[in-house]
């Protein structure tokens, strides 16, 4: 189940937390599930250490988490633990893409066993004193992909579920980058400065430059500038030549195409011959496309072969 959450313009993070807490509580009650899981003593302790990292780099998000706790009636420490670790236990099998034609595009086919998630959110945010953004996620207020009003787009794919540091989760890092950074270069500086929770791949594009960032350790990132007209990354380390067969086959398929526009890209993301649109036990559960040059976002809620892409408005 997919939902669009639109936050009022010029909202504080506390106000956005209040709104999301109510939305999440209402949806959870309708579906008969707990909005937040019980947290062990170990999880609470580790979350308190991550809280100190967030206090340094992203204190606004802690105010948002307090707002969620207030409006949902759950202890702040439990909500904090659920949010900072969300995404660390599931295994994702996603494909992220860069396309260059007359305009640049980032895209993501997001794959996950449906049993792990009940609903997914498209967030349209206009936070006070920060960049507006459109992004998708199934980790509460975190994002797996998105674009901001400055034309910076970012996607992420997991490498490992093993925790590598007392740091910021990929979902919260993407959220922070979109709120605080205006260019890919700014995002790279931030990614080199923070401590990371998990090993992860990111693609970034601001219409001028594009990069792949591979998080190898808590404070260890490998950065590659992408100059190709097309690029794909999955759940792997190293170069494409070292990637799983599926990624290599998709890359060769893309190299055989002559040009890219939004219609061509939608067809690529729906492709079954090269298993771009995945119907395995880890199916494609949503698909998103971002154009940094025009600051536009399209989302297909579910498999893109079965659902139309929705042009998400900023209003």
């Amino acid at each position: 189940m997919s939902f669009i959450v639109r936050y009022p313009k010029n909202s504080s993070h506390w106000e956005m937390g209040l709104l999301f807490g109510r939305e999440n509580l209402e949806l959870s009650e309708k579906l008969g599930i707990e909005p937040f899981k019980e947290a062990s003593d170990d999880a609470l302790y580790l979350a308190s250490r991550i809280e100190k990292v967030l206090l340094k780099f992203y204190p606004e998000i802690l105010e948002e988490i307090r707002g969620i706790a207030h409006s949902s009636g759950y202890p702040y420490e439990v909500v904090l633990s659920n949010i900072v670790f969300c995404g660390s236990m599931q295994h994702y099998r996603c494909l992220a893409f860069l396309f260059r034609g007359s305009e640049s595009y980032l895209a993501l086919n997001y794959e996950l066993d449906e049993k792990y998630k009940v609903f997914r959110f498209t967030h349209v945010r206009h936070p006070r004193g920060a960049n507006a953004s459109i992004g998708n996620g199934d980790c509460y207020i975190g994002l797996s992909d998105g674009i901001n009003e400055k034309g910076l787009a970012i996607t992420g794919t997991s490498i490992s579920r093993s925790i590598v540091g007392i740091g910021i989760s990929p979902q919260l890092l993407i959220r922070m980058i979109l709120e605080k950074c205006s260019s890919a270069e700014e995002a790279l500086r931030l990614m080199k400065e923070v401590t990371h929770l998990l090993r992860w791949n990111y693609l970034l594009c601001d219409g001028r430059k594009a990069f792949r960032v591979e998080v190898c350790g808590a404070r260890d990132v490998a950065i590659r500038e992408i100059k190709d007209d097309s690029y794909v990354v999955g759940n792997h380390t190293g170069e494409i030549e070292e990637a799983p067969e599926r990624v290599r086959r998709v890359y060769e398929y893309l190299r055989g195409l002559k040009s890219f526009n939004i219609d061509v890209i939608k067809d690529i993301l729906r492709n079954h011959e090269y298993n771009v649109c995945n119907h395995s036990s880890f199916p494609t559960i949503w698909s998103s496309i971002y154009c940094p040059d025009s600051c536009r976002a399209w989302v297909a809620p579910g498999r893109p072969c079965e659902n139309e892409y929705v042009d998400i408005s900023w209003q």
Side-chain angles (χ1 to χ4, degrees), residues 98 100 209-211 224-231:
L98 168 71
R100 284 192 175 104
K209 291 186 176 182
F211 298 90
R224 305 165 179 84
E225 184 171 0
I226 304 169
K227 300 205 179 262
D228 299 14
D229 288 341
S230 60
Y231 191 84

Side-chain angles (χ1 to χ4, degrees), residues 50-173:
I50 293 172
E51 181 184 30
K52 294 177 182 177
V53 179
L54 290 169
L55 187 62
K56 177 181 179 181
F57 290 102
Y58 197 16
E60 307 94 320
I61 204 68
L62 298 177
E63 282 302 301
E64 190 165 330
I65 293 170
R66 290 187 179 93
I68 294 170
H70 182 81
S71 63
S72 61
Y74 277 73
Y76 165 76
E77 294 78 10
V78 171
V79 177
L80 175 71
S81 177
N82 274 260
I83 289 175
V84 299
F85 289 120
C86 187
S88 64
M89 300 304 294
Q90 293 83 22
H91 184 58
Y92 303 85
R93 296 180 184 174
C94 308
L95 290 177
F97 303 84
L98 168 71
F99 304 102
R100 284 192 175 104
S102 58
E103 296 181 301
S104 298
Y105 296 87
L106 280 190
L108 179 71
N109 268 12
Y110 187 88
E111 302 168 4
L112 178 68
D113 193 326
E114 283 279 19
K115 71 182 180 182
Y116 287 118
K117 296 294 175 184
V118 178
F119 38 77
R120 298 170 288 280
F121 298 101
T122 295
H123 300 271
V124 183
R125 295 182 172 101
H126 299 266
R128 186 179 307 159
N131 296 326
S133 66
I134 296 172
N136 298 287
D138 55 3
C139 279
Y140 300 108
I141 54 175
L143 300 175
S144 62
D145 51 283
I147 189 170
N148 68 20
E149 63 180 322
K150 305 295 186 182
L152 174 62
I154 181 169
T155 66
T157 62
S158 70
I159 295 176
S160 170
R161 287 174 288 176
S162 299
I163 292 175
V164 296
I166 303 301
I168 300 174
S169 71
Q171 292 80 9
L172 293 183
L173 179 60

Side-chain angles (χ1 to χ4, degrees), residues 173 177 187-194 196 202 204 213 221:
L173 179 60
I177 286 170
L188 293 179
R189 288 195 291 271
L190 182 57
M191 296 173 92
K192 288 188 283 188
E193 188 178 358
V194 303
H196 299 270
Y202 300 90
L204 302 102
V213 179
V221 295

